[in-house]
Amino acid sequence: MTPLEPEERYSRQVLFAGIGAEGQRKLEAARVAIVGCGATGSALASLLARAGVGTIRIIDRDYVEPSNLQRQSLFDEADALESLPKAVAASRRIAGFNSEITVEPHVADLTPDNIEALLEGVSLILDGTDNFETRYLINDFAVKHSIPWIYTAAVGSYSVTLNILPGKTACLACIFPDLPGGTFETCETAGILNSAVNLAASISATEALKFLVGAEDRMRRTLLSFDVWLNQHAEISADNAHAGCRACGERKFIHLAGEGRPHITLCGRNSVQIHERQRPVDFAEMNQRLKAHGTVRHNDFVLKFTREPYEMTLFADGRAIIKGTTDTSVARSFYARFIGS
């Protein structure tokens, strides 16, 4: 196949005065990270890859399931049937429409232990996660190293986004000093509209392009929210850091230090994630060991073991997602019985 000429591929984008030929060259030289490749993350990855961002590092801990296909635009039915890790599936799909850029897939859960290595060398971090624990971790890292990042979230018909430019704007801890308390909606309880996802991702991707081409003065300085079903929107000023902010004011990076971070965490659905990163897994050997106890299948990236009423997805580093319970003790017992304590 004859390679496509970059001048033709990006011609309509170069015609846009805000980018132009020089801006396009800056995009091609850019290195960004997307943490989480679910609904917002996959939309962000697609938009930035099509725009010609030269290197996109995708970090995601999860695998593709049928329920993802309603809103996660980089995946198809074959990915779900194979339970491909989302980072790998996204990388393959992007290669099909833009083979000229570099995509670095990392099948990993971003943690205080690996964040320095996984986010090294990027100039911008984009949020595609589904939990505040990881967002606070990103915020600590970004503020500490003065790396801009863009917070993006969507649930139900509601979407929200915030640009965080350390030293110039409020950070996430300025706006939300503490983890949200009580019960709050998730995609599993409130559902989600794919249009809300794509609105949030489109706004955030545009803000990313502004930063990458050097148009920082055009970047929004507010927390912007939209409800696409109720036709409501709101903005909260984020132009200035808040006095006494734990992160950007006092520079206390408690999430980066791992304070209070659980060894076992819930995945936001009827599942528990078990963090075991020091237990390399030989899938072929594990397949032989487990097949007498239930249904087993594996590919190069994950092993699926089903023993009713539970299903375990095991990753190559020993991390696992146990589906069928939200009880951490039950999940740990299941993991210990079949994988080891």
Side-chain angles (χ1 to χ4, degrees):
M1 181 181 296
T2 303
L4 299 178
E5 292 294 330
E7 293 80 3
E8 176 63 20
R9 179 190 293 272
Y10 305 117
S11 60
R12 303 304 187 269
Q13 186 165 279
V14 169
L15 284 171
F16 176 67
I19 295 180
E22 178 60 24
Q24 192 61 49
R25 284 190 287 272
K26 290 179 179 179
L27 293 179
E28 291 166 8
R31 299 176 61 86
V32 306
I34 299 174
V35 182
C37 195
T40 54
S42 60
L44 285 166
S46 178
L47 288 166
L48 295 182
R50 292 181 186 279
V53 173
T55 300
I56 301 174
R57 188 174 301 162
I58 298 175
I59 303 158
D60 191 276
R61 66 185 182 180
D62 209 350
Y63 57 93
V64 183
E65 299 181 277
S67 64
N68 301 150
L69 303 181
Q70 167 257 350
R71 65 197 179 281
Q72 299 185 16
S73 56
L74 285 178
F75 312 131
D76 60 22
E77 293 177 354
D79 298 328
L81 288 171
E82 198 177 345
S83 297
L84 271 184
K86 292 180 180 179
V88 173
S91 176
R92 291 180 177 180
R93 185 54 47 83
I94 290 170
F97 64 75
N98 194 345
S99 60
E100 297 173 352
I101 68 169
T102 299
V103 180
E104 302 172 352
H106 291 270
V107 184
D109 188 18
L110 193 75
T111 68
D113 293 333
N114 64 20
I115 190 170
E116 296 282 348
L118 287 175
L119 296 182
E120 181 183 10
V122 302
S123 60
L124 178 66
I125 304 164
L126 292 114
D127 168 29
T129 69
D130 61 0
N131 66 90
F132 265 88
E133 182 182 65
T134 305
R135 289 175 177 132
Y136 281 127
L137 177 61
I138 294 170
N139 189 70
D140 274 9
F141 176 86
V143 171
K144 179 180 178 180
H145 295 285
S146 296
I147 300 173
W149 76 284
I150 301 176
Y151 160 60
T152 312
V155 64
S157 57
Y158 177 81
S159 56
V160 60
T161 178
L162 169 70
N163 299 322
I164 297 161
L165 306 172
K168 300 176 182 177
T169 69
C171 78
L172 188 69
C174 290
I175 306 296
F176 304 110
D178 301 301
L179 285 165
T183 301
F184 54 95
E185 298 286 15
T186 69
C187 296
E188 285 67 38
T189 61
I192 188 166
L193 294 180
N194 55 22
S195 53
V197 168
N198 283 284
L199 174 63
S202 293
I203 293 171
S204 293
T206 305
E207 296 298 307
L209 293 181
K210 293 176 189 177
F211 175 78
L212 295 173
V213 302
E216 189 177 307
D217 61 316
R218 296 289 186 178
M219 295 181 73
R220 196 187 64 258
R221 261 70 168 178
T222 63
L223 175 77
L224 175 65
S225 64
F226 277 89
D227 189 312
V228 296
W229 197 260
L230 299 178
N231 301 310
Q232 297 173 348
H233 77 277
E235 290 189 74
I236 299 172
S237 175
D239 197 43
N240 299 303
H242 292 195
C245 172
R246 167 194 57 78
C248 64
E250 300 177 359
R251 300 191 68 79
K252 293 179 180 178
F253 304 121
I254 59 174
H255 296 275
L256 197 57
E259 293 182 20
R261 187 177 178 89
H263 187 63
I264 305 173
T265 57
L266 300 178
C267 285
R269 54 185 186 240
N270 188 30
S271 304
V272 173
Q273 178 174 214
I274 298 180
H275 302 277
E276 287 283 354
R277 301 178 199 85
Q278 306 301 324
R279 188 193 293 272
V281 177
D282 182 320
F283 287 149
E285 179 183 332
M286 189 64 68
N287 182 79
Q288 290 299 314
R289 188 206 303 182
L290 293 177
K291 66 182 182 180
H293 303 285
T295 304
V296 191
R297 60 186 176 89
H298 71 88
N299 53 37
D300 292 339
F301 308 101
V302 297
L303 179 145
K304 302 276 284 192
F305 171 60
T306 304
R307 181 181 173 92
E308 295 296 341
Y310 308 115
E311 177 189 88
M312 176 170 60
T313 301
L314 184 65
F315 296 84
D317 61 357
R319 184 171 57 89
I321 295 174
I322 313 295
K323 186 185 245 183
T325 182
T326 57
D327 187 324
T328 56
S329 62
V330 169
R332 168 54 78 188
S333 176
F334 187 84
Y335 184 96
R337 178 181 178 187
F338 294 106
I339 306 302
S341 58

